[in-house]
Amino acid sequence: MEKKSVFASIALCLAAALLSCGSVYLGYFSFPKLKRSVIYVKGLVERNVTADRAVIVISVDDEDDNVEKLVKLVEGKVKNVMKIVEKCGLKESVIDENGGIRDYEKRNKYKNGKICEEVQIYRKWESIKLKTTDVDKAKQLVHDVKELCRVSKGVEVDVVYEFSKFQKMRKEMLCDAIANARELADLVAEKGNLKIIGMENMNQGYVEIKAADECEVSNENRWDSEARERESCEKKLRLVVHAGFKIANE
């Protein structure tokens, strides 16, 4: 009898434990409203802006086996470039000029289709850098130098259009992106008959600056996209935030 009593007690304890676990299990899944829920959304804001600064680099180079002739060739090209710079009213915007000459390579000279001698080829280059806040003059300069490039070998121009006021706009854009996130969260809550009681968390995902005319779906790689942005006077600023909003328990 005592053994039966012991076994009965053990069985009773196991049954109580299982019932207890079952209650917790059922409670966990039967009362989801006791658990805090969060709506996660992405807030986005975009601004189209015009560059307010330009950095232009004009490069001139040539090569020849005669150093004296080479120097005159490059100096002539530089003079033509500076005429355009002065014409555009940007002479005072030149912030740097540098250049040099170096041995380039050995090259065969031909006469009547046969090698007659081997000569040393030299390369000379000059670089003119300008920085201006007059974007219209900068665009005109780039256009005119590109026209020179068509008829004068060894002349190249690169330009970077910059927007210097982004940091001043960042605070305003961040506020607008957060407001956009809240608007989306409110829409989700309304459709789900839920009530938002506050923000759980938020982080700024990323900031992008692209050419204003770059399409959303592009086959360009990252380098091409960045090059287009640098050369574009019209830019699109995009700021994204990721936010979570708490839902009230009912």
Side-chain angles (χ1 to χ4, degrees):
M1 293 295 294
E2 293 181 359
K3 289 184 178 181
K4 289 184 178 180
S5 177
V6 171
F7 287 134
S9 299
I10 293 174
L12 185 62
C13 291
L14 289 173
L18 287 171
L19 286 172
S20 176
C21 291
S23 298
V24 172
Y25 180 86
L26 291 172
Y28 184 83
F29 289 98
S30 300
F31 302 95
K33 292 182 180 179
L34 295 177
K35 298 178 6 177
R36 176 175 292 174
S37 299
V38 180
I39 295 176
Y40 293 98
V41 293
K42 179 172 72 174
L44 167 68
V45 61
E46 294 180 338
R47 295 282 188 276
N48 287 330
V49 299
T50 301
D52 56 11
R53 186 168 60 197
V55 179
I56 305 167
V57 177
I58 305 170
S59 303
V60 175
D61 73 85
D62 213 327
E63 60 184 44
D64 202 278
D65 62 327
N66 186 307
V67 175
E68 185 178 348
K69 177 184 175 182
L70 177 60
V71 170
K72 289 181 179 180
L73 283 171
V74 174
E75 286 181 349
K77 294 178 183 180
V78 171
K79 285 181 180 179
N80 291 334
V81 168
M82 290 308 300
K83 286 179 182 178
I84 297 175
V85 172
E86 291 180 22
K87 179 183 175 183
C88 293
L90 291 173
K91 185 177 180 181
E92 300 303 319
S93 298
V94 175
I95 60 173
D96 186 44
E97 293 182 72
N98 63 72
I101 188 169
R102 66 182 178 87
D103 296 350
Y104 183 51
E105 64 181 6
K106 296 284 187 179
R107 193 175 297 171
N108 293 326
K109 267 196 171 182
Y110 293 83
K111 186 175 182 180
N112 299 324
K114 296 182 179 181
I115 298 173
C116 60
E117 63 177 319
E118 184 182 66
V119 296
Q120 175 66 55
I121 299 298
Y122 300 92
R123 179 176 288 275
K124 179 171 175 57
W125 72 94
E126 296 290 336
S127 175
I128 303 162
K129 185 176 183 179
L130 305 92
K131 189 173 184 178
T132 179
T133 56
D134 195 325
V135 176
D136 289 334
K137 287 183 178 180
K139 291 196 292 187
Q140 185 63 52
L141 174 62
V142 172
H143 173 273
D144 292 350
V145 174
K146 284 185 176 181
E147 289 298 312
L148 177 63
C149 294
R150 298 178 189 275
V151 298
S152 183
K153 178 184 175 183
V155 179
E156 295 182 355
V157 58
D158 293 304
V159 60
V160 176
Y161 291 106
E162 301 174 341
F163 182 69
S164 64
K165 300 175 183 177
F166 173 66
Q167 291 304 325
K168 293 181 180 179
M169 292 181 60
R170 190 168 187 157
K171 182 177 179 181
E172 175 192 341
M173 291 180 67
L174 181 60
C175 291
D176 289 347
I178 294 172
N180 178 247
R182 178 58 191 257
E183 183 180 350
L184 292 174
D186 285 339
L187 179 61
V188 174
E190 180 184 352
K191 296 300 181 181
N193 295 318
L194 303 171
K195 180 181 179 181
I196 292 176
I197 59 174
M199 181 182 288
E200 175 78 10
N201 54 63
M202 189 277 291
N203 66 78
Q204 182 177 307
Y206 58 88
V207 178
E208 286 184 335
I209 303 178
K210 293 188 175 183
D213 60 353
E214 182 173 335
C215 61
E216 293 299 322
V217 180
S218 174
N219 292 325
E220 294 180 341
N221 58 38
R222 181 177 177 182
W223 188 92
D224 289 334
S225 179
E226 291 176 350
R228 278 172 54 81
E229 182 273 314
R230 290 194 298 269
E231 296 174 0
S232 176
C233 195
E234 302 301 322
K235 303 180 185 294
K236 179 184 290 184
L237 309 181
R238 174 182 293 170
L239 190 149
V240 175
V241 298
H242 299 276
F245 293 89
K246 293 182 288 186
I247 302 302
N249 296 322
E250 297 180 358

